[in-house]
Amino acid sequence: MSTIVVNGQQRKVKASPDTPLLYVLRNELGVMGVKFGCGLAQCGACSVLLGDEEVRACVTPISALEGKPVTTVDGLPQRWASQKGKMSAGTLHPVQQAWIDEQVPQCGICQFGMMIKVTELLEANPKPTDQDIREALTTSGPSPHLCRCGSYAAILEGAHRAAKLMMQGESA
């Protein structure tokens, strides 16, 4: 049995150390904000933050967590509240709010991974250019984040809106 921290909560898991994080999150812990896309770390649908870094949960064994907390899209409000010194969330993370405001999702399978990647980017670079956002989504990580619906223009607008909301310290 291992103990991992997911979305700010310590959780005990029975899975063996080589079990991919995706399966532990969905099947053992019931965290559904992480999606199964390709299962090969090639699409980004399963992305989570491990500490401050985006990883692909479908190929990351739980033995690789090394005490770092895991944040899924479900945990973004708590992460934002913690960064702002608040005890509880109660609101959406600015990236989530921006996705709603800009009506970014189409089918939605890739969007949780996209929001995780944009969160990673904006925490490191609060004023990204179009090129910064494109590079983050296409050239970092093991492969580009893929949107089969082609909502890349809306994703770009969502990222810029999220950056503005984060700079203002706002959320929903």
Side-chain angles (χ1 to χ4, degrees):
M1 184 167 292
S2 304
T3 300
I4 62 176
V5 176
V6 177
N7 296 331
Q9 297 181 344
Q10 284 195 350
R11 308 286 300 266
K12 293 195 180 296
V13 296
K14 296 177 184 172
S16 67
D18 61 342
T19 305
L21 177 60
L22 173 67
Y23 300 117
V24 173
L25 291 171
R26 289 187 63 86
N27 301 339
E28 194 170 329
L29 301 179
V31 178
M32 298 302 178
V34 58
K35 301 296 181 194
F36 182 89
C38 64
L40 302 168
Q42 294 183 357
C43 71
C46 66
S47 292
V48 299
L49 291 171
L50 182 58
D52 295 329
E53 181 181 345
E54 178 236 2
V55 297
R56 307 290 165 92
C58 68
V59 296
T60 302
I62 60 170
S63 62
L65 302 182
E66 300 174 5
K68 292 182 181 174
V70 175
T71 304
T72 70
V73 74
D74 308 285
L76 288 179
Q78 184 60 39
R79 183 180 179 97
W80 179 247
S82 176
Q83 290 170 340
K84 292 296 173 188
K86 298 178 181 176
M87 294 301 291
S88 64
T91 61
L92 295 175
H93 187 282
V95 173
Q96 294 169 313
Q97 185 62 52
W99 251 238
I100 293 169
D101 294 345
E102 296 296 329
Q103 299 182 11
V104 174
Q106 291 191 17
C107 83
I109 190 72
C110 69
Q111 295 302 312
F112 292 165
M114 295 279 190
M115 286 190 277
I116 289 293
K117 187 64 184 179
V118 168
T119 299
E120 176 197 53
L121 169 67
L122 296 178
E123 288 179 358
N125 178 2
K127 293 182 179 180
T129 63
D130 285 355
Q131 186 62 28
D132 293 335
I133 297 166
R134 286 187 183 108
E135 284 182 15
L137 293 171
T138 60
T139 62
S140 65
S143 65
H145 279 259
L146 299 177
C147 175
R148 303 286 184 209
C149 302
S151 65
Y152 294 108
I155 292 166
L156 192 62
E157 292 303 315
H160 282 297
R161 186 176 190 97
K164 288 178 186 169
L165 292 174
M166 288 177 78
M167 291 291 287
Q168 296 168 354
E170 295 179 10
S171 58

